[in-house]
């Protein structure tokens, strides 16, 4: 090697060493295509401005597709993603498999103790926090106050399913494309089965008895699904078997739903005058009960987790810290208003005087506190989870069950046939899994 080339090589190595700390790190984030996550992407310049050595790449997917992609990747240790948007269902299962990085070492100012106990508990395994909640949610009734007034009705703060049915009937005006109620019909364990599982709790149903015997052939499940079909067939929109969260959100914002029972996080979208034609005509109530002591509401958190296969763990932790911090909440409030901040995660948010003025803030917190994942049904159960059963097999089983019920909603089979098939496939899958 010539002296000149030796000097050039030495200079290059010196520069590489001197500037190694500034080398670009790419953090690839898999997230769901809902409004809060899209908003986060829009504000991410705040993060990259403070961290110029980190580049963010986004993979934004529909809910069912996201779940499939991240599950496949993490199970195979694929390393495609550095940050994954996952839910309360996945966290304890994946943490037990050592698939997630502990977040116990996030900075003290991030303030883990500020996270609502109900939300933090679902993301903690053996004292280790494995995901940071971006937003927490339950479910509640969102309804058109103007249509209720026209019908001469008043929505109770804590309605029964009979209250819901009466309101749906009174508000339905199919000639003008106004449907009394919009509910999830799209097949998926996190779509129609999230809603129906929560609803079934209020009808006294359960997925399994204490011996892990499937209960989908019970009278309680038949009552749940038949009531749901009655609501949807008589007062719901056409094509409801393909409607999930986003489709029903669009219908409600267009003024085509009298009521929508779904995630509390939707409240900011239906009351946003930029997107919703009925923004100033929306009221809120707790999810319905059936007089048995359980409401049909769920408990969930979309959270950010770091897979063990990531090669950018420290950069990923910086991003997770930013996106789930009090400072991010303040950033959203400054740019979008307090009604649009990610809800349901921090005690300090519900102690904030500005946020207390948001019309759905109190009802969201009440709904979260109403849900009990340790005792979801009035009957004893061997599992935890309100709108899911916290076992690895549930996602596959409930997806198949959801397909059968969605087919019944589409008129392709009866409720009896759907639940008969659902019971059989659940028994087969649970036996194969060794229960």
């Amino acid at each position: 090697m010539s002296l000149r080339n030796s000097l050039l090589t030495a200079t290059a190595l010196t520069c590489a060493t001197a500037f190694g700390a500034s080398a670009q790190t790419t953090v690839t984030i898999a997230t769901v295509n809902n409004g809060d996550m899209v908003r986060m992407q829009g504000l991410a310049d705040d993060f990259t401005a403070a961290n110029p050595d980190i580049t963010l790449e986004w993979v934004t997917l529909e809910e069912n597709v996201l779940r499939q992609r991240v599950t496949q990747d993490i199970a195979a240790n694929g390393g495609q993603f550095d940050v994954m948007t996952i839910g309360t269902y996945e966290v304890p299962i994946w943490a037990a498999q050592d698939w997630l990085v502990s977040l116990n070492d996030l900075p003290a100012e991030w303030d883990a103790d500020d996270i609502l106990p109900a939300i933090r508990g679902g993301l903690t395994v053996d004292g280790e926090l494995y995901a940071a909640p971006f937003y927490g949610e339950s479910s509640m009734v969102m309804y058109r106050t103007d249509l209720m007034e026209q019908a001469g009705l008043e929505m109770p703060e804590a309605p029964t399913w009979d209250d819901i049915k009466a309101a749906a009937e009174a508000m339905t005006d199919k000639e003008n494309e106004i449907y009394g109620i919009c509910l999830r019909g799209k097949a998926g364990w996190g779509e129609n089965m999230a809603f129906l599982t929560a609803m079934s709790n209020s009808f006294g149903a359960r997925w399994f008895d204490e011996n892990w015997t499937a209960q989908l052939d019970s009278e309680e499940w038949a009552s749940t699904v038949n009531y749901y079909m009655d609501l949807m067939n008589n007062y719901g929109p056409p094509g409801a078997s393909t409607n999930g969260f986003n489709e029903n959100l669009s219908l409600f914002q267009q003024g085509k739903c009298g009521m929508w029972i779904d995630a509390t996080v939707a409240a900011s979208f239906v009351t946003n005058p930029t997107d919703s034609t009925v923004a100033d005509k929306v009221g809120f109530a707790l999810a319905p009960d059936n007089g048995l002591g359980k409401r049909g509401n769920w408990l969930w958190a979309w959270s950010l987790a770091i897979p063990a296969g990531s090669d950018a763990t420290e950069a990923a932790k910086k991003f997770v810290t930013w996106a789930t911090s009090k400072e991010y909440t303040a950033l959203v409030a400054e740019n979008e208003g307090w009604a649009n901040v990610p809800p349901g995660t921090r005690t300090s948010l519900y102690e904030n005087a500005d946020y207390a003025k948001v019309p759905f803030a109190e009802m969201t917190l009440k709904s979260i506190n109403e849900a009990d994942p340790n005792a979801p049904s009035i009957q004893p159960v061997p599992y935890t989870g309100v709108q899911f059963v916290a076992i690895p097999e549930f996602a596959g089983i409930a997806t198949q069950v959801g397909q059968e019920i969605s087919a019944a909603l589409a008129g392709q089979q009866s409720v009896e046939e759907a639940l008969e098939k659902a019971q059989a496939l659940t028994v087969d899958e649970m036996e194969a899994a060794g229960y």
Side-chain angles (χ1 to χ4, degrees), residues 124-142:
T124 301
V125 179
D126 296 332
E128 297 283 326
L129 185 71
Y130 283 99
F134 184 74
Y135 68 75
E137 66 177 44
S138 183
S139 54
M140 65 182 175
V141 183
M142 293 162 276

Side-chain angles (χ1 to χ4, degrees), residues 23-36:
Q24 284 298 118
T25 301
T26 297
V27 173
T28 303
I29 304 156
T31 193
V32 66
N33 66 339
N34 66 29
D36 280 291

Side-chain angles (χ1 to χ4, degrees), residues 87-117:
T88 311
Y89 167 70
E90 292 94 350
V91 174
I93 296 171
W94 293 3
Q97 298 289 331
D98 295 324
W99 289 351
L100 300 175
V101 174
S102 170
L103 300 181
N104 268 21
D105 60 348
L106 292 187
E109 58 268 22
W110 184 74
D111 195 3
D113 291 338
D114 189 43
I115 304 298
L116 290 170

Side-chain angles (χ1 to χ4, degrees), residues 243-326:
N243 289 347
F245 175 87
N246 284 332
E247 291 81 9
N248 284 325
L249 170 61
S250 179
L251 286 170
F252 196 97
Q253 288 176 326
Q254 294 170 35
K256 295 185 177 183
C257 300
M259 283 179 293
W260 180 28
I261 305 174
D262 212 295
T264 52
V265 73
S268 68
F269 307 136
V270 297
T271 57
N272 186 336
T274 303
D275 303 315
S276 177
T277 62
V278 296
D280 59 343
K281 303 177 181 68
V282 185
F284 305 96
L286 293 171
D289 70 13
N290 213 25
L292 301 177
K294 291 290 180 182
R295 295 204 165 272
N297 61 306
W298 62 65
L299 184 65
W300 185 257
W302 275 121
S303 301
L304 302 181
I306 302 171
S310 169
D311 59 2
T313 300
E314 293 309 310
K317 284 183 180 179
K318 285 185 179 181
F319 174 78
V320 169
T321 300
W322 171 81
T324 59
S325 66
K326 298 175 187 177

